[in-house]
Every structure is written in structure tokens, then in C-alpha cells.
Amino acid sequence: MTLQAAAAQINHARSEKTLRPSIAGFFDEGTFTVSYVVHDPDTLEAAIIDSVLDYEAAAGRTSCASADRIIEYVNSNSLKVTWLIETHVHADHISAAPYLQEKLGGKLAIGAEIVRVQEVFGKLFNAGTDFERDGSQFDQLFSGGDTFCIGKIEGIALHVPGHTPADMAFIIGDAAFVGDTIFMPDFGTARADFPGGDARQLFQSIRRLLSLPDETRLFLCHDYKAPGRDEFAWETTVGQQRRENVHVKDGVSEDEFVAMRTIRDATLAMPNLIIPSVQVNMRGGRLPEPEDNGVSYIKIPVNAV
């Protein structure tokens, strides 16, 4: 029923110009991440999706240049931020959502399965009893099928597990923000070997997304420039993915995908920023509580990842 509603919304949005959101992408080459500002052109209400806080790993130092670009865009277009949305707990960059919320307002939202991620990684990082594992660090926990609004434009949350158990995609007007499920057609799909990940679930989630109308605009969370491509890219369509995706185009079976993904994932190194990113992002983008000297610390579990 959720996909039927999303498909109907996309078809309606294509015929009604007022239901097509305006979308600006902000690419952070250091983490290959795309953040989005999505707004209703009529009301100027906006959502920020998958923001990035700059982090210098060698020095353990954060900065806000990437987030400030978003703030400048929001202010220069007189937008009102009502949502700060995370598609999942990212393992490759730290979220800037708390900083943006302080500057711009809005409700911080993520998928309801965040509690599973908090449980797993709370144990891994020995976060202690003070770390709540109930998603209370976020203002809104979305389940699959939940709806929300950006001005006059309806959004629909879809649960798309596989990369992690908590991944969400968000249909907003005629556009879908698919997080770390699928990449540009020449690069393929996300890995599925993190704790709670599942290649079979990932295939099923992607095929559900690819059952949306062919004209659906897909906005991706990452791009790594496949061999032979000189420019970064992060917008595609359902139809293009079904025809061309090197991992999951029409005709690729679930078993073929699982075999490919399992072999490929075994060759991949952990993301450079997985240790700080997960510890911060499972807290809604907030650093661990300062210790008695007033400094926050990131733990490194030795021989545990």
C-alpha cells in the first residue's frame, strides 16, 4: 500500500507543477556525500537531508564550512526549515543536523529502526547506561508508510533495509531520496556487510524502489565516479536504473545479486570515518558527553571492528 500511495503521489506531482519540490544538492568531495535542501516553491518550507559536519580525523577537530554553505543557501532563498532528515546512521561522515537545527530550526528525524542500530553500536562502543537506546535523541522516528509535509508537498517514508537495518527512503513530490541503497547506474549499489546489513534485504528494498514510476527522480546520497566517468553525479531516474544499473538492472536475479554483493563486500575496507561517524550519528549528530575535563572523546575499539 505504501508503494502504491507513493506511485500515485509521483504521478500526481508530475502533472501538478506546484507539487514538484525545488532541490539543491551540496556535494562534499571529502566524504563523497550529497546533502540536499528540498523546498516547496509556494510556501518556501524546506527540509535538509543528510547534512555533513566537516571532521579532520588526524586532529579530531570539527568545523562547519559544509553546513554553512547550506545555511547561506537557505537564508538567501528565504526558506523556512521544518525538517532535518537523516536517511540512516551514516558510517562515512558526521551529521551537521544539530548545528543546522540551532541555526535554522526544524525537527530532526530518522527511521524508527534507529533503536536497533543504537543497541548494536552502543555495545560495540561500550557507551554505558547513560546512552539512551530508544531514539530519543531525535524529534521524529519514521516508520514505513508514515507521511509528513513540506509546505503543501507531501512526503512518504519508506523503510528500505539492507545496507543497514534502519535505512529509509523519502518520497517528496515526484522525487525520491534513497540514501545508501543505490548509486549511479555505472557504479551500482551500496554495501551490505555492516552489522545488521543483509544483501538479500538490500535487493528487495531496491527492487521495491524500482517499482515506482520510471520518471521518478532519484537523488543519491553518494557518488564515487565510476571508472571512465569524469564528473560527479547524483541524480538519476527509476527508468535509467532499471535499464542500466550494473548490479541490479532488470533481469538480475536476487541470488545473482546476493552472490555478487557478498564477494564484492569481502574486498572492501571499512570507511575511513566509521569510528567517529557512528558514535556521533547514533546520538543524533551530537558528540559524546564531555568528560570531567570538559572534552568529548571518540572511542576506538581495538580489534573489534
Side-chain angles (χ1 to χ4, degrees), residues 266-296:
T267 69
L268 301 177
M270 287 290 102
N272 291 336
L273 296 183
I274 187 171
I275 297 296
S277 294
V278 173
Q279 285 181 77
V280 175
N281 293 337
M282 71 181 185
R283 293 175 165 87
R286 299 173 184 85
L287 296 173
E289 285 296 316
E291 298 192 7
D292 55 12
N293 62 353
V295 177
S296 293

CSV table of all heavy atoms in Angstrom, one decimal, residues 266-296:
chain,number,residue,atom,x,y,z
A,266,ALA,N,33.4,-8.4,0.6
A,266,ALA,CA,34.5,-9.0,1.3
A,266,ALA,C,35.8,-8.3,0.9
A,266,ALA,O,36.8,-8.5,1.6
A,266,ALA,CB,34.6,-10.5,1.0
A,267,THR,N,35.9,-7.6,-0.2
A,267,THR,CA,37.1,-6.9,-0.6
A,267,THR,C,37.2,-5.5,-0.1
A,267,THR,O,38.2,-4.8,-0.3
A,267,THR,CB,37.2,-6.9,-2.2
A,267,THR,OG1,36.2,-6.0,-2.7
A,267,THR,CG2,37.0,-8.3,-2.7
A,268,LEU,N,36.1,-5.0,0.5
A,268,LEU,CA,36.0,-3.5,0.8
A,268,LEU,C,36.6,-3.3,2.2
A,268,LEU,O,36.3,-4.0,3.1
A,268,LEU,CB,34.6,-3.1,0.7
A,268,LEU,CG,33.9,-3.2,-0.6
A,268,LEU,CD1,32.4,-2.7,-0.5
A,268,LEU,CD2,34.6,-2.4,-1.7
A,269,ALA,N,37.4,-2.2,2.3
A,269,ALA,CA,37.9,-1.7,3.6
A,269,ALA,C,36.7,-1.0,4.3
A,269,ALA,O,35.8,-0.5,3.7
A,269,ALA,CB,39.1,-0.8,3.4
A,270,MET,N,36.9,-0.9,5.6
A,270,MET,CA,35.9,-0.1,6.4
A,270,MET,C,36.1,1.4,6.0
A,270,MET,O,37.1,1.9,5.6
A,270,MET,CB,36.2,-0.2,7.9
A,270,MET,CG,35.8,-1.5,8.5
A,270,MET,SD,34.0,-1.7,8.6
A,270,MET,CE,33.7,-2.8,7.2
A,271,PRO,N,35.0,2.2,6.0
A,271,PRO,CA,35.1,3.6,5.7
A,271,PRO,C,36.0,4.3,6.6
A,271,PRO,O,36.1,4.0,7.8
A,271,PRO,CB,33.6,4.1,5.9
A,271,PRO,CG,32.8,2.9,5.7
A,271,PRO,CD,33.6,1.7,6.2
A,272,ASN,N,36.7,5.3,6.1
A,272,ASN,CA,37.8,6.0,6.9
A,272,ASN,C,37.2,6.6,8.2
A,272,ASN,O,37.9,6.6,9.2
A,272,ASN,CB,38.4,7.1,6.1
A,272,ASN,CG,39.3,6.6,4.9
A,272,ASN,OD1,39.7,5.4,5.0
A,272,ASN,ND2,39.4,7.3,3.9
A,273,LEU,N,36.0,7.1,8.1
A,273,LEU,CA,35.4,7.8,9.3
A,273,LEU,C,34.4,7.0,10.1
A,273,LEU,O,33.6,7.5,10.8
A,273,LEU,CB,34.8,9.1,8.9
A,273,LEU,CG,35.8,10.1,8.3
A,273,LEU,CD1,35.0,11.4,7.9
A,273,LEU,CD2,36.9,10.4,9.2
A,274,ILE,N,34.4,5.6,9.9
A,274,ILE,CA,33.3,4.9,10.5
A,274,ILE,C,33.3,5.0,12.1
A,274,ILE,O,32.3,5.1,12.7
A,274,ILE,CB,33.4,3.4,10.1
A,274,ILE,CG1,32.2,2.6,10.7
A,274,ILE,CG2,34.7,2.7,10.5
A,274,ILE,CD1,32.0,1.2,10.1
A,275,ILE,N,34.5,5.0,12.7
A,275,ILE,CA,34.6,5.1,14.1
A,275,ILE,C,34.0,6.3,14.7
A,275,ILE,O,33.1,6.3,15.6
A,275,ILE,CB,36.1,4.9,14.6
A,275,ILE,CG1,36.6,3.5,14.2
A,275,ILE,CG2,36.2,5.1,16.1
A,275,ILE,CD1,35.9,2.3,14.8
A,276,PRO,N,34.4,7.5,14.3
A,276,PRO,CA,33.8,8.7,14.8
A,276,PRO,C,32.3,8.9,14.3
A,276,PRO,O,31.4,9.3,15.1
A,276,PRO,CB,34.6,9.9,14.3
A,276,PRO,CG,35.3,9.3,13.1
A,276,PRO,CD,35.6,7.9,13.4
A,277,SER,N,32.1,8.5,13.0
A,277,SER,CA,30.7,8.8,12.5
A,277,SER,C,29.6,8.1,13.2
A,277,SER,O,28.6,8.7,13.6
A,277,SER,CB,30.7,8.4,11.0
A,277,SER,OG,31.6,9.3,10.2
A,278,VAL,N,29.8,6.8,13.4
A,278,VAL,CA,28.7,6.0,14.0
A,278,VAL,C,28.5,6.5,15.5
A,278,VAL,O,27.4,6.6,15.9
A,278,VAL,CB,29.0,4.5,13.9
A,278,VAL,CG1,28.0,3.8,14.7
A,278,VAL,CG2,29.0,4.1,12.5
A,279,GLN,N,29.6,6.7,16.2
A,279,GLN,CA,29.5,7.2,17.6
A,279,GLN,C,28.7,8.5,17.7
A,279,GLN,O,27.9,8.6,18.6
A,279,GLN,CB,30.8,7.3,18.2
A,279,GLN,CG,31.5,6.0,18.6
A,279,GLN,CD,32.8,6.2,19.2
A,279,GLN,OE1,32.9,6.5,20.4
A,279,GLN,NE2,33.9,6.0,18.5
A,280,VAL,N,28.9,9.4,16.8
A,280,VAL,CA,28.2,10.7,16.8
A,280,VAL,C,26.8,10.6,16.3
A,280,VAL,O,25.9,11.1,16.8
A,280,VAL,CB,29.1,11.7,16.1
A,280,VAL,CG1,28.3,13.1,16.0
A,280,VAL,CG2,30.4,11.9,16.8
A,281,ASN,N,26.7,9.9,15.1
A,281,ASN,CA,25.4,9.9,14.4
A,281,ASN,C,24.4,9.1,15.2
A,281,ASN,O,23.2,9.4,15.1
A,281,ASN,CB,25.6,9.4,13.0
A,281,ASN,CG,26.4,10.3,12.2
A,281,ASN,OD1,26.5,11.5,12.4
A,281,ASN,ND2,27.0,9.8,11.1
A,282,MET,N,24.8,8.1,15.9
A,282,MET,CA,23.8,7.3,16.7
A,282,MET,C,23.2,8.2,17.8
A,282,MET,O,22.2,7.8,18.5
A,282,MET,CB,24.4,6.0,17.2
A,282,MET,CG,25.4,6.1,18.3
A,282,MET,SD,26.0,4.5,18.8
A,282,MET,CE,27.1,5.0,20.2
A,283,ARG,N,23.9,9.3,18.1
A,283,ARG,CA,23.4,10.3,19.1
A,283,ARG,C,22.7,11.4,18.5
A,283,ARG,O,22.6,12.5,19.1
A,283,ARG,CB,24.6,10.8,19.9
A,283,ARG,CG,25.3,9.7,20.8
A,283,ARG,CD,26.5,10.3,21.5
A,283,ARG,NE,27.0,9.5,22.6
A,283,ARG,CZ,27.8,8.4,22.5
A,283,ARG,NH1,28.3,8.1,21.3
A,283,ARG,NH2,28.2,7.7,23.6
A,284,GLY,N,22.3,11.3,17.2
A,284,GLY,CA,21.6,12.4,16.5
A,284,GLY,C,22.6,13.5,16.1
A,284,GLY,O,22.2,14.6,15.9
A,285,GLY,N,23.8,13.1,15.9
A,285,GLY,CA,24.8,14.1,15.4
A,285,GLY,C,25.5,14.9,16.5
A,285,GLY,O,26.3,15.8,16.3
A,286,ARG,N,25.3,14.4,17.8
A,286,ARG,CA,25.9,15.1,18.9
A,286,ARG,C,27.1,14.3,19.4
A,286,ARG,O,27.1,13.1,19.4
A,286,ARG,CB,24.9,15.2,20.0
A,286,ARG,CG,23.6,16.1,19.6
A,286,ARG,CD,22.6,16.1,20.7
A,286,ARG,NE,21.4,16.8,20.2
A,286,ARG,CZ,20.4,16.2,19.5
A,286,ARG,NH1,20.5,14.9,19.2
A,286,ARG,NH2,19.4,16.9,19.1
A,287,LEU,N,28.1,15.1,19.8
A,287,LEU,CA,29.3,14.4,20.3
A,287,LEU,C,29.0,13.7,21.6
A,287,LEU,O,28.1,14.1,22.3
A,287,LEU,CB,30.4,15.5,20.5
A,287,LEU,CG,30.9,16.2,19.3
A,287,LEU,CD1,31.9,17.3,19.7
A,287,LEU,CD2,31.7,15.2,18.4
A,288,PRO,N,29.8,12.7,22.0
A,288,PRO,CA,29.6,12.1,23.3
A,288,PRO,C,29.7,13.1,24.4
A,288,PRO,O,30.4,14.2,24.3
A,288,PRO,CB,30.8,11.1,23.4
A,288,PRO,CG,31.1,10.7,22.0
A,288,PRO,CD,30.8,12.0,21.2
A,289,GLU,N,29.1,12.9,25.5
A,289,GLU,CA,29.1,13.9,26.6
A,289,GLU,C,30.5,14.1,27.1
A,289,GLU,O,31.3,13.2,27.2
A,289,GLU,CB,28.3,13.3,27.8
A,289,GLU,CG,26.8,13.4,27.7
A,289,GLU,CD,26.3,14.8,27.5
A,289,GLU,OE1,26.7,15.6,28.3
A,289,GLU,OE2,25.5,15.0,26.6
A,290,PRO,N,30.9,15.4,27.3
A,290,PRO,CA,32.2,15.8,27.7
A,290,PRO,C,32.5,15.0,29.1
A,290,PRO,O,31.7,14.8,29.9
A,290,PRO,CB,32.2,17.3,27.9
A,290,PRO,CG,31.0,17.7,27.1
A,290,PRO,CD,30.0,16.6,27.1
A,291,GLU,N,33.8,14.7,29.2
A,291,GLU,CA,34.3,14.1,30.5
A,291,GLU,C,34.6,15.2,31.5
A,291,GLU,O,34.3,16.4,31.2
A,291,GLU,CB,35.5,13.2,30.2
A,291,GLU,CG,35.1,12.0,29.3
A,291,GLU,CD,36.1,10.9,29.2
A,291,GLU,OE1,37.1,11.0,29.9
A,291,GLU,OE2,35.9,10.0,28.4
A,292,ASP,N,35.2,14.9,32.6
A,292,ASP,CA,35.3,15.8,33.7
A,292,ASP,C,36.2,17.0,33.4
A,292,ASP,O,36.3,18.0,34.1
A,292,ASP,CB,35.7,15.2,35.0
A,292,ASP,CG,37.0,14.3,34.9
A,292,ASP,OD1,37.7,14.4,33.9
A,292,ASP,OD2,37.3,13.6,35.8
A,293,ASN,N,37.0,16.8,32.3
A,293,ASN,CA,37.9,17.9,31.9
A,293,ASN,C,37.2,18.8,30.8
A,293,ASN,O,37.9,19.7,30.2
A,293,ASN,CB,39.2,17.4,31.3
A,293,ASN,CG,39.0,16.5,30.1
A,293,ASN,OD1,37.9,16.2,29.7
A,293,ASN,ND2,40.1,16.0,29.5
A,294,GLY,N,36.0,18.5,30.5
A,294,GLY,CA,35.2,19.3,29.5
A,294,GLY,C,35.4,19.0,28.1
A,294,GLY,O,34.9,19.6,27.2
A,295,VAL,N,36.2,17.9,27.8
A,295,VAL,CA,36.5,17.4,26.4
A,295,VAL,C,35.6,16.2,26.1
A,295,VAL,O,35.5,15.3,26.9
A,295,VAL,CB,38.0,17.1,26.3
A,295,VAL,CG1,38.3,16.6,24.9
A,295,VAL,CG2,38.8,18.4,26.6
A,296,SER,N,35.1,16.2,24.8
A,296,SER,CA,34.4,15.0,24.3
A,296,SER,C,35.5,14.0,23.7
A,296,SER,O,36.4,14.5,23.1
A,296,SER,CB,33.4,15.3,23.3
A,296,SER,OG,32.3,16.1,23.9
